[in-house]
Amino acid sequence: MRPGVVAAALASASLLSPAPSGPAPLPERMADTGGGSQLITAQAPRAGSTSGTVTWWDRRDGHWVKAGSAAARFGGKGLVEGGSRRQGTNTTPTGLYDLPYAFGIKAAPGGTRSPYRRVHQDSWWCEDNRSRSYNRWTEPRPGDCRASESEHLISYGTQYAYALVIGFNYERAVRGRGAGIFLHVNGRGATAGCVSVPGDAVRRILAWADPARRPHIAIGTSGGPTAITRY
């Protein structure tokens, strides 16, 4: 074949070849996504960051597809590996966690399928390390759970209008590691260790999440020891 013909053939082939694709969707680059077909990722640029992005994903036909995203806030002292986190440090724990149930001061948004608890005047989240109810919703607050060491949920009218419990230190609670880690509505600034997004985003997530599809949340950074792709 003449050189000119070869060049023309190669040019034609390049037009038919698919353009190089970008990086695979974030969940497809992760070590684990929890085994379900829904996933929330909460990613910060660096461990010291107090803001980043929350994205929720559906697994369809063997691939992860973005269902929505929103700007997110993290702890005032950034993020830290969940297994080494200490209570009261204002850090958001990184890792992969389940989402046991949702709650809120307001009624569940339309379409909510997750178990949803309404907050009442005597609803508390016990964060007292000496209590048998450590890292649990209590209603009313038990005698061994000091109010000064717990959250009176109804007092946070903005943040807890809607929320999802993040299963950090929940199944087998280690005292001193931390309690009351939620995905909730934004307050005025960084959180005390939770992940927060605008109220509309929480409502959208609650309408999207389906317990039958075993949603999880992965929290981490873009790189380094707490990279979200490690979880």
Side-chain angles (χ1 to χ4, degrees):
M1 186 179 288
R2 298 190 306 277
V5 175
V6 172
L10 290 174
S12 298
S14 67
L15 291 175
L16 296 173
S17 301
S21 59
L26 179 56
E28 296 184 12
R29 293 181 274 126
M30 292 173 56
D32 189 5
T33 57
S37 59
Q38 288 188 326
L39 178 71
I40 300 170
T41 55
Q43 188 177 34
R46 296 168 298 279
S49 300
T50 59
S51 62
T53 304
V54 158
T55 306
W56 48 107
W57 308 81
D58 289 304
R59 188 159 181 81
R60 299 176 184 165
D61 300 323
H63 297 283
W64 287 98
V65 179
K66 184 167 73 171
S69 65
R73 296 173 181 168
F74 299 97
K77 298 294 184 181
L79 298 86
V80 69
E81 172 64 44
S84 60
R85 183 184 186 270
R86 300 303 300 170
Q87 186 163 326
T89 56
N90 286 349
T91 53
T92 297
T94 62
L96 178 68
Y97 306 106
D98 63 355
L99 299 162
Y101 61 91
F103 69 90
I105 294 172
K106 296 184 178 181
T112 299
R113 285 162 288 184
S114 299
Y116 191 91
R117 297 189 71 167
R118 286 294 297 274
V119 173
H120 301 110
Q121 185 62 38
D122 57 353
S123 302
W124 291 75
W125 196 275
C126 183
E127 299 177 5
D128 188 338
N129 281 281
R130 301 188 305 198
S131 175
R132 291 170 294 180
S133 301
Y134 179 66
N135 202 20
R136 286 293 185 274
W137 176 298
T138 63
E139 195 172 294
R141 179 175 55 82
D144 72 343
C145 181
R146 291 169 291 173
S148 61
E149 298 292 324
S150 302
E151 286 193 347
H152 192 202
L153 298 178
I154 205 165
S155 298
Y156 299 88
T158 297
Q159 293 92 326
Y160 297 157
Y162 311 103
L164 269 165
V165 176
I166 295 175
F168 165 74
N169 200 33
Y170 188 78
E171 187 66 26
R172 295 179 179 84
V174 176
R175 296 173 191 279
R177 184 160 291 170
I181 301 298
F182 312 127
L183 172 60
H184 63 67
V185 178
N186 282 340
R188 292 184 178 180
T191 73
C194 295
V195 179
S196 73
V197 292
D200 179 65
V202 182
R203 290 190 293 270
R204 289 165 61 197
I205 290 169
L206 288 175
W208 160 85
D210 182 356
R213 298 176 63 188
R214 294 187 294 159
H216 285 69
I217 184 169
I219 306 170
T221 54
S222 299
T226 54
I228 198 168
T229 51
R230 295 182 58 243
Y231 302 110

mmCIF file of all heavy atoms in Angstrom, residues 27-47:
data_model
loop_
_atom_site.group_PDB
_atom_site.id
_atom_site.type_symbol
_atom_site.label_atom_id
_atom_site.label_comp_id
_atom_site.label_asym_id
_atom_site.label_seq_id
_atom_site.Cartn_x
_atom_site.Cartn_y
_atom_site.Cartn_z
ATOM 1 N N PRO A 27 -16.923 5.594 42.734
ATOM 2 C CA PRO A 27 -17.152 4.302 43.388
ATOM 3 C C PRO A 27 -16.423 3.140 42.732
ATOM 4 O O PRO A 27 -16.070 2.163 43.396
ATOM 5 C CB PRO A 27 -18.677 4.130 43.287
ATOM 6 C CG PRO A 27 -19.204 5.512 43.182
ATOM 7 C CD PRO A 27 -18.190 6.243 42.354
ATOM 8 N N GLU A 28 -16.186 3.223 41.433
ATOM 9 C CA GLU A 28 -15.510 2.140 40.735
ATOM 10 C C GLU A 28 -14.011 2.125 41.006
ATOM 11 O O GLU A 28 -13.322 1.168 40.665
ATOM 12 C CB GLU A 28 -15.802 2.228 39.238
ATOM 13 C CG GLU A 28 -17.276 2.025 38.939
ATOM 14 C CD GLU A 28 -17.610 2.010 37.459
ATOM 15 O OE1 GLU A 28 -16.681 1.931 36.635
ATOM 16 O OE2 GLU A 28 -18.807 2.072 37.130
ATOM 17 N N ARG A 29 -13.510 3.176 41.649
ATOM 18 C CA ARG A 29 -12.102 3.243 42.027
ATOM 19 C C ARG A 29 -11.892 2.952 43.511
ATOM 20 O O ARG A 29 -10.770 3.014 44.007
ATOM 21 C CB ARG A 29 -11.538 4.622 41.682
ATOM 22 C CG ARG A 29 -11.465 4.875 40.188
ATOM 23 C CD ARG A 29 -10.877 6.245 39.866
ATOM 24 N NE ARG A 29 -11.899 7.297 39.873
ATOM 25 C CZ ARG A 29 -11.838 8.400 40.585
ATOM 26 N NH1 ARG A 29 -10.830 8.594 41.413
ATOM 27 N NH2 ARG A 29 -12.799 9.309 40.501
ATOM 28 N N MET A 30 -12.977 2.620 44.217
ATOM 29 C CA MET A 30 -12.892 2.383 45.647
ATOM 30 C C MET A 30 -12.637 0.916 45.959
ATOM 31 O O MET A 30 -12.997 0.035 45.188
ATOM 32 C CB MET A 30 -14.182 2.856 46.323
ATOM 33 C CG MET A 30 -14.342 4.367 46.289
ATOM 34 S SD MET A 30 -15.948 4.924 46.899
ATOM 35 C CE MET A 30 -15.957 4.196 48.525
ATOM 36 N N ALA A 31 -12.009 0.669 47.107
ATOM 37 C CA ALA A 31 -11.718 -0.700 47.518
ATOM 38 C C ALA A 31 -12.987 -1.452 47.895
ATOM 39 O O ALA A 31 -13.087 -2.660 47.691
ATOM 40 C CB ALA A 31 -10.748 -0.698 48.696
ATOM 41 N N ASP A 32 -13.978 -0.739 48.430
ATOM 42 C CA ASP A 32 -15.219 -1.377 48.885
ATOM 43 C C ASP A 32 -16.330 -0.339 48.833
ATOM 44 O O ASP A 32 -16.101 0.838 49.135
ATOM 45 C CB ASP A 32 -15.041 -1.901 50.312
ATOM 46 C CG ASP A 32 -16.201 -2.761 50.790
ATOM 47 O OD1 ASP A 32 -17.121 -3.039 49.988
ATOM 48 O OD2 ASP A 32 -16.193 -3.159 51.971
ATOM 49 N N THR A 33 -17.511 -0.770 48.449
ATOM 50 C CA THR A 33 -18.657 0.146 48.418
ATOM 51 C C THR A 33 -19.809 -0.348 49.291
ATOM 52 O O THR A 33 -20.892 0.217 49.244
ATOM 53 C CB THR A 33 -19.161 0.343 46.976
ATOM 54 O OG1 THR A 33 -19.494 -0.933 46.406
ATOM 55 C CG2 THR A 33 -18.097 1.013 46.106
ATOM 56 N N GLY A 34 -19.567 -1.393 50.076
ATOM 57 C CA GLY A 34 -20.577 -1.877 51.004
ATOM 58 C C GLY A 34 -21.437 -3.006 50.495
ATOM 59 O O GLY A 34 -22.241 -3.557 51.253
ATOM 60 N N GLY A 35 -21.323 -3.342 49.229
ATOM 61 C CA GLY A 35 -22.052 -4.487 48.694
ATOM 62 C C GLY A 35 -23.446 -4.200 48.201
ATOM 63 O O GLY A 35 -24.108 -5.085 47.670
ATOM 64 N N GLY A 36 -23.931 -2.974 48.367
ATOM 65 C CA GLY A 36 -25.262 -2.628 47.891
ATOM 66 C C GLY A 36 -25.214 -1.976 46.528
ATOM 67 O O GLY A 36 -24.173 -1.931 45.860
ATOM 68 N N SER A 37 -26.354 -1.448 46.118
ATOM 69 C CA SER A 37 -26.424 -0.784 44.808
ATOM 70 C C SER A 37 -26.710 0.707 44.938
ATOM 71 O O SER A 37 -27.095 1.350 43.970
ATOM 72 C CB SER A 37 -27.484 -1.451 43.935
ATOM 73 O OG SER A 37 -28.764 -1.392 44.546
ATOM 74 N N GLN A 38 -26.523 1.257 46.139
ATOM 75 C CA GLN A 38 -26.564 2.698 46.362
ATOM 76 C C GLN A 38 -25.390 3.078 47.253
ATOM 77 O O GLN A 38 -25.009 2.327 48.152
ATOM 78 C CB GLN A 38 -27.867 3.143 47.031
ATOM 79 C CG GLN A 38 -29.088 3.101 46.127
ATOM 80 C CD GLN A 38 -30.314 3.726 46.786
ATOM 81 O OE1 GLN A 38 -30.497 3.637 47.999
ATOM 82 N NE2 GLN A 38 -31.151 4.359 45.988
ATOM 83 N N LEU A 39 -24.810 4.239 46.990
ATOM 84 C CA LEU A 39 -23.656 4.695 47.757
ATOM 85 C C LEU A 39 -23.648 6.221 47.812
ATOM 86 O O LEU A 39 -23.958 6.888 46.827
ATOM 87 C CB LEU A 39 -22.360 4.207 47.108
ATOM 88 C CG LEU A 39 -21.061 4.646 47.787
ATOM 89 C CD1 LEU A 39 -20.877 3.929 49.121
ATOM 90 C CD2 LEU A 39 -19.854 4.398 46.886
ATOM 91 N N ILE A 40 -23.291 6.755 48.986
ATOM 92 C CA ILE A 40 -23.030 8.185 49.146
ATOM 93 C C ILE A 40 -21.534 8.346 49.364
ATOM 94 O O ILE A 40 -20.950 7.649 50.194
ATOM 95 C CB ILE A 40 -23.798 8.765 50.344
ATOM 96 C CG1 ILE A 40 -25.310 8.586 50.173
ATOM 97 C CG2 ILE A 40 -23.469 10.245 50.530
ATOM 98 C CD1 ILE A 40 -26.107 8.926 51.425
ATOM 99 N N THR A 41 -20.909 9.242 48.621
ATOM 100 C CA THR A 41 -19.503 9.574 48.873
ATOM 101 C C THR A 41 -19.423 10.997 49.409
ATOM 102 O O THR A 41 -20.076 11.895 48.903
ATOM 103 C CB THR A 41 -18.649 9.449 47.590
ATOM 104 O OG1 THR A 41 -19.204 10.253 46.543
ATOM 105 C CG2 THR A 41 -18.586 7.994 47.135
ATOM 106 N N ALA A 42 -18.622 11.166 50.443
ATOM 107 C CA ALA A 42 -18.389 12.483 51.044
ATOM 108 C C ALA A 42 -16.893 12.709 50.986
ATOM 109 O O ALA A 42 -16.137 12.135 51.773
ATOM 110 C CB ALA A 42 -18.906 12.525 52.479
ATOM 111 N N GLN A 43 -16.447 13.527 50.038
ATOM 112 C CA GLN A 43 -15.027 13.668 49.758
ATOM 113 C C GLN A 43 -14.546 15.092 50.006
ATOM 114 O O GLN A 43 -15.166 16.052 49.542
ATOM 115 C CB GLN A 43 -14.734 13.264 48.312
ATOM 116 C CG GLN A 43 -13.255 13.199 47.964
ATOM 117 C CD GLN A 43 -13.021 12.719 46.547
ATOM 118 O OE1 GLN A 43 -13.814 13.002 45.645
ATOM 119 N NE2 GLN A 43 -11.945 11.993 46.325
ATOM 120 N N ALA A 44 -13.425 15.202 50.717
ATOM 121 C CA ALA A 44 -12.776 16.481 50.971
ATOM 122 C C ALA A 44 -11.434 16.497 50.248
ATOM 123 O O ALA A 44 -10.820 15.445 50.047
ATOM 124 C CB ALA A 44 -12.570 16.682 52.470
ATOM 125 N N PRO A 45 -10.934 17.670 49.878
ATOM 126 C CA PRO A 45 -9.645 17.710 49.182
ATOM 127 C C PRO A 45 -8.479 17.181 50.019
ATOM 128 O O PRO A 45 -7.619 16.457 49.528
ATOM 129 C CB PRO A 45 -9.459 19.200 48.866
ATOM 130 C CG PRO A 45 -10.836 19.779 48.896
ATOM 131 C CD PRO A 45 -11.575 18.999 49.929
ATOM 132 N N ARG A 46 -8.456 17.542 51.305
ATOM 133 C CA ARG A 46 -7.349 17.177 52.190
ATOM 134 C C ARG A 46 -7.880 16.879 53.586
ATOM 135 O O ARG A 46 -9.005 17.231 53.918
ATOM 136 C CB ARG A 46 -6.332 18.326 52.291
ATOM 137 C CG ARG A 46 -5.625 18.657 50.972
ATOM 138 C CD ARG A 46 -4.859 19.960 51.074
ATOM 139 N NE ARG A 46 -5.757 21.094 51.345
ATOM 140 C CZ ARG A 46 -6.473 21.711 50.415
ATOM 141 N NH1 ARG A 46 -6.417 21.321 49.160
ATOM 142 N NH2 ARG A 46 -7.256 22.717 50.744
ATOM 143 N N ALA A 47 -7.041 16.270 54.410
ATOM 144 C CA ALA A 47 -7.461 15.929 55.771
ATOM 145 C C ALA A 47 -7.812 17.163 56.588
ATOM 146 O O ALA A 47 -8.655 17.105 57.483
ATOM 147 C CB ALA A 47 -6.369 15.126 56.474
#
